[in-house]
């Protein structure tokens, strides 16, 4: 049986049962809980990305060559992405076999422990080589946590969504990465302002990590009080029969959709991490742009993209996922070159405007993606399928983006190479989405 026929048999022909009245009343609360969780998780991740760009290189990887120190810090950033597939296997199995809520709570706890641990680490000057070893270990734990976060948050919202509004509800957690970055900037900038750049590089960089303790406590309280997905809120005999090893079944039954789903999201991942993470280091160090200017430009773009997420998802519910995603991918292919080229001007307003257009095009790709990827797979493999496609795309397109960009700019000293790199990946995404079917009318059957 082909993948399309199998998917239609598993998903398209089984009417989704209407959610019970109590579930309908709690949909908004569940969507809010998904947003809170992804915001907290991505705050932790964004704090690390910003710290890697600013101070972690010399603190944990001292070197006479600043480029090598920064490269080493970004290697630890990439290490967390390498651990994400482990999270997909672990939390995908938990989420598909035992329930979405349980996987989400566990992933949040793991992220909290790892992030606070980074804030408490001694530096290389105190304990020598043990410092970067411990840093990498905690980064791996963060990566495992992120491997389970996105799929669970999206599914918890999407599987409770009213008919015809799945893209809207699924897109709510998609604001988490943007809001997490904005929250991290709202903490990092005042911390630098209060203590000064020198003190921030010396010790005050720990403050944003330690403050996540409060956020984790709030997220844990919210997530333990939300209802389980309707797929699991029923007798065991009526639940989807998930295989013992969901990832193996996914690779065996849906290899084409898995690969195309990864390709569909890889371009947007590169754009996001080049703008939100890499540019914060590249602008000041390579082009002499003030750090505050780069943070302000990226924050303006992130705020605009977050505000556009729900309207874009509404459009995807009306006209379909593919037209909206294709428009974003095509626009990104054309825009990333002038967007990164704007860095050569050093003009904060011009850079902020270019970044804003770039992230608005990104939201055209990523807003509907939260519904599009889960809709490619049946309920028994949905957590693993959605997580695997998105997380692998994030790893390939986003996790290595700062590392690849650092290497590219060590050979070709022009921001245009960033646009060429991101544009190539967005072109791949365009081709992959063209090869995938429209999923708007598919039911979330068992």
């Amino acid at each position: 049986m082909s993948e399309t026929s199998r998917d239609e048999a598993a998903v398209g022909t089984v009417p989704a049962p209407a959610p019970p009245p109590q579930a309908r009343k709690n949909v908004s609360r569940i969507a809010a809980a998904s947003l809170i969780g992804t915001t907290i998780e991505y705050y932790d991740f964004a704090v690390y990305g910003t710290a890697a760009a600013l101070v972690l290189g010399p603190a944990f990887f001292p070197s006479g060559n600043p480029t090598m120190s920064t490269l080493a810090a970004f290697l630890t950033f990439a290490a967390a992405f390498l651990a994400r597939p482990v999270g997909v296997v672990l939390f995908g199995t938990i989420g598909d076999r035992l329930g979405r809520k349980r996987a989400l709570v566990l992933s949040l706890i793991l992220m909290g422990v790892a992030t606070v641990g980074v804030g408490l680490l001694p530096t290389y000057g105190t304990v020598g080589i043990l410092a970067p070893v411990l840093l990498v270990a905690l980064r791996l734990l963060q990566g495992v946590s992120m491997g389970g976060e996105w799929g669970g948050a999206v599914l918890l919202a999407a599987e409770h969504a009213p008919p015809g509004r799945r893209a809207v509800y699924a897109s709510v957690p998609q604001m988490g990465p943007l809001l997490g970055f904005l929250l991290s900037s709202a903490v990092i900038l005042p911390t630098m302002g209060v203590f000064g750049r020198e003190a921030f590089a010396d010790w005050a960089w720990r403050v944003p990590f330690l403050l996540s303790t409060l956020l984790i406590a709030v997220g844990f309280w919210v997530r333990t009080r939300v209802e389980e997905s309707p797929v699991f809120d029923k007798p065991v005999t009526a639940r989807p029969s998930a295989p013992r090893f969901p990832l193996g079944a996914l690779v065996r039954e849906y290899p084409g959709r898995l690969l195309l789903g990864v390709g569909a999201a890889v371009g947007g991942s590169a754009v996001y991490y080049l703008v939100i993470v890499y540019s914060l280091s590249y602008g000041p160090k390579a082009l002499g742009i003030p750090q505050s200017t780069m943070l302000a430009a990226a924050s303006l773009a992130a705020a605009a993209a977050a505000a556009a997420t729900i309207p874009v998802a509404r459009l995807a519910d009306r006209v379909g996922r593919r037209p909206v995603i294709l428009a974003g991918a095509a626009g990104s292919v054309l825009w990333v070159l002038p967007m990164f080229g704007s860095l050569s001007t050093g003009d904060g307003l011009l850079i902020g405007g270019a970044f804003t257009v770039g992230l608005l095009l990104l939201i055209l790709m990523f807003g509907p993606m939260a519904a599009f990827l889960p809709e490619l797979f049946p309920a028994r493999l949905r957590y693993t399928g959605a997580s695997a496609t998105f997380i692998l795309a994030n790893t390939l397109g986003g996790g290595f983006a700062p590392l690849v960009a650092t290497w590219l700019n060590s050979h070709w000293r022009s921001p245009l190479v960033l646009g060429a790199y991101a544009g190539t990946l967005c072109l791949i995404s365009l081709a992959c989405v063209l090869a995938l079917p429209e999923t708007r009318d598919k039911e979330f059957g068992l």
Side-chain angles (χ1 to χ4, degrees), residues 21 37 82-83 139 202 225 314 333 339 356 363 371 376 418:
L82 292 176
R139 284 296 291 158
D202 184 31
R225 283 161 174 76
R314 285 193 180 122
V333 170
M339 177 176 72
T356 298
I363 283 302
L376 293 174
L418 304 179

Side-chain angles (χ1 to χ4, degrees), residues 104-115:
L104 278 174
V105 172
L106 290 175
S107 70
L108 187 67
I109 293 173
L110 186 59
M111 175 61 81
V113 170
T115 302

Side-chain angles (χ1 to χ4, degrees), residues 266-420:
V266 74
S269 297
V271 171
Y272 176 83
Y273 282 100
L274 286 175
V275 171
I276 296 298
V277 176
Y278 181 72
S279 69
L280 302 184
S281 171
Y282 175 72
K285 293 182 179 179
L287 303 174
I289 303 172
Q291 189 71 61
S292 58
T293 298
M294 292 306 305
L295 278 170
S299 297
L300 172 66
T309 300
I310 298 300
V312 165
R314 285 193 180 122
L315 180 63
D317 272 331
R318 287 199 298 269
V319 304
R321 311 340 181 186
R322 289 176 76 250
V324 180
I325 297 173
L326 289 171
S332 295
V333 170
L334 298 174
W335 183 248
V336 286
L337 206 61
M339 177 176 72
F340 288 112
S342 71
L343 292 170
S344 298
T345 69
D347 187 309
L349 288 177
L350 189 60
I351 295 169
F355 278 10
T356 298
V357 173
L359 290 195
L360 288 174
L361 290 170
L362 168 70
I363 283 302
L364 288 175
M365 287 192 282
F366 266 19
M369 197 69 70
F372 186 56
L373 294 179
E375 287 166 349
L376 293 174
F377 307 101
R380 65 190 180 88
L381 297 173
R382 191 173 294 141
Y383 199 124
T384 300
S387 296
T389 49
F390 190 79
I391 295 304
L392 288 175
N394 255 226
T395 300
L396 297 173
F400 290 101
L403 187 62
V404 172
T406 300
W407 181 84
L408 288 173
N409 276 295
S410 69
H411 291 76
W412 297 277
R413 299 184 181 279
S414 168
L416 292 178
V417 300
L418 304 179

Side-chain angles (χ1 to χ4, degrees), residues 49-83:
T50 304
L54 300 180
V55 300
L56 293 186
F60 287 88
F61 306 95
S63 168
N65 186 333
T67 299
M68 292 304 296
S69 293
T70 301
L71 194 61
F74 280 139
L75 275 171
T76 64
F77 185 80
F81 285 84
L82 292 176

Side-chain angles (χ1 to χ4, degrees), residues 86-360:
V86 177
V88 170
V89 175
L90 174 62
F91 291 106
T93 301
I94 295 172
D96 279 330
R97 290 179 62 84
L98 303 177
R100 320 312 195 193
K101 177 179 171 180
R102 188 173 304 184
L104 278 174
V105 172
L106 290 175
S107 70
L108 187 67
I109 293 173
L110 186 59
M111 175 61 81
V113 170
T115 302
V116 174
V118 172
L120 296 174
L121 276 182
T123 61
Y124 187 93
T126 303
V127 296
I129 193 66
L130 182 61
V133 170
L134 292 174
L135 180 64
V136 170
L138 291 173
R139 284 296 291 158
L140 292 174
L141 288 180
Q142 281 187 320
V144 171
S145 168
M146 290 298 292
E149 167 59 32
W150 185 85
V154 164
L155 289 186
L156 195 64
E159 290 177 342
H160 279 92
R165 302 191 66 191
R166 191 183 304 138
V168 168
Y169 280 85
S171 73
V172 171
Q174 287 291 73
M175 292 188 286
L178 299 164
L179 296 179
F181 168 73
L182 291 172
L183 186 58
S184 73
S185 297
V187 173
I188 289 172
L189 286 175
T191 302
M192 293 176 66
V194 170
F195 298 106
R197 180 61 185 265
E198 185 176 340
F200 185 85
D202 184 31
W203 63 270
W205 60 267
R206 301 176 183 276
V207 172
F209 288 96
L210 298 178
L211 283 178
S212 70
T213 306
L214 300 176
L215 298 175
I216 294 295
V218 172
F220 180 80
W221 182 83
V222 171
R223 283 197 166 170
T224 54
R225 283 161 174 76
V226 298
E227 290 75 14
E228 178 57 271
S229 165
V231 173
F232 283 85
D233 190 20
K234 58 186 64 183
V236 174
T237 54
R239 296 178 185 177
S241 179
R244 187 176 297 276
F245 184 51
L247 183 61
L250 179 73
V251 172
R252 184 173 61 254
E253 297 178 29
Y254 297 94
R257 292 201 172 184
L258 175 61
L259 291 175
L260 290 172
V262 171
V266 74
S269 297
V271 171
Y272 176 83
Y273 282 100
L274 286 175
V275 171
I276 296 298
V277 176
Y278 181 72
S279 69
L280 302 184
S281 171
Y282 175 72
K285 293 182 179 179
L287 303 174
I289 303 172
Q291 189 71 61
S292 58
T293 298
M294 292 306 305
L295 278 170
S299 297
L300 172 66
T309 300
I310 298 300
V312 165
R314 285 193 180 122
L315 180 63
D317 272 331
R318 287 199 298 269
V319 304
R321 311 340 181 186
R322 289 176 76 250
V324 180
I325 297 173
L326 289 171
S332 295
V333 170
L334 298 174
W335 183 248
V336 286
L337 206 61
M339 177 176 72
F340 288 112
S342 71
L343 292 170
S344 298
T345 69
D347 187 309
L349 288 177
L350 189 60
I351 295 169
F355 278 10
T356 298
V357 173
L359 290 195
L360 288 174

Side-chain angles (χ1 to χ4, degrees), residues 418-432:
L418 304 179
Y421 170 56
T424 300
L425 294 182
C426 288
L427 194 60
I428 292 173
S429 291
L430 182 66
C432 290

